[in-house]
Amino acid sequence: MQSESQENGELQEFQQTRSIMDTTVTVAVYASNESEASKVIDDAFNEIYRVDDLMSPSKEDSQLNILNTRGEVENADPAFIHVLEQSKYYSDKSGGAFDITIQPVLDLWRSKFLPGGPQEPPTADELNETLKLVNYSEINIEDGNISLKPGMKVALGGIAKGYAVDRAIESLQENGIENAFVNAGGDGRYIGQKPDGTPWMVGLQNPDRSGQYITAIEARDIAVATSGNYERYFNESARVSHISDPRTGYPSEGIISSTVIARSAIDADAFATAVFVMGEEEGLEMVENLEGVECLIITEDRRLVYSSGFKEYEAEGSI
């Protein structure tokens, strides 16, 4: 169904930016007037707030925190169940490089670099013991209830933002919006185009120079997400990546960032994390076997590694 804004052809851009999910979220739409835009943008943000209420690690009453504290959630929200079930799909596709049960390993590393901690990495024995708690196949979902084995915990940092972006986009579409984007801290999904027929443009940041871009993507009806270790660290002096390999327990190395293009933001978010963990060869091989997914990897020695179809999305003359 076409909204009034598409019928009269006089579209204007409206956007709002808010702080949610420990990041900055922007919702931009083309609509015929401010009141229409304000309503649909509010509805989109409400979807993101709802996801945050369910899956925030910092809200005591979130279903994520209840699961991690008690080891189970009864009558879990279908959205929470959906994200956990989807996470198993990404784990399977990545051979365990993406695994939301990584939280005990992240907690172990964090404890080592807290004030008063030893300020040195965990021992091999400590890691091996903790890795016994990392196994996505042990997430039990049955009759709307979720349970974990004792000591297991879940981290949704590599998937929840992508899911929230998808929900916001779906809300906009349900409200008759055909041209819009939602970006949550670098996880973005883009539908339609600008009224002049030009596509949404997504710049990929140069990890060495803030404000500079290495390339630009023409984003029409796609999602783009970047996973990288140049923005967040457990400890600034230790320079330990916030993304650990669930298979080894050690921080991922070899890649500065991985950018993934996919049909949905949840796919882009999760696969960007998986590629970052897997590294150049393994990550590229996985992406080449996925339909509708492309990636650009920046290696630690500053090489740009493209999947076979990535350049089709690049704007002409962007490099």
Side-chain angles (χ1 to χ4, degrees), residues 231-243:
E231 287 182 347
R232 287 166 53 199
Y233 298 88
F234 286 136
N235 175 279
E236 193 62 26
S237 60
R239 305 300 271 181
V240 175
S241 166
H242 69 282
I243 304 173

Side-chain angles (χ1 to χ4, degrees), residues 117-129:
Q119 307 302 310
E120 60 184 36
T123 64
D125 285 346
E126 286 173 321
L127 273 174
N128 288 334
E129 195 61 30

Side-chain angles (χ1 to χ4, degrees), residues 170-215:
E170 285 157 21
S171 170
L172 293 173
Q173 290 173 322
E174 287 161 10
N175 278 323
I177 297 296
E178 295 181 356
N179 306 289
F181 74 80
V182 179
N183 187 304
D187 292 356
R189 185 168 162 190
Y190 307 81
I191 59 170
Q193 59 191 6
K194 297 178 183 177
D196 62 5
T198 59
W200 301 107
M201 300 295 285
V202 182
L204 297 189
Q205 191 179 321
N206 183 334
D208 293 325
R209 301 188 180 210
S210 181
Q212 285 195 7
Y213 296 93
I214 55 165
T215 189

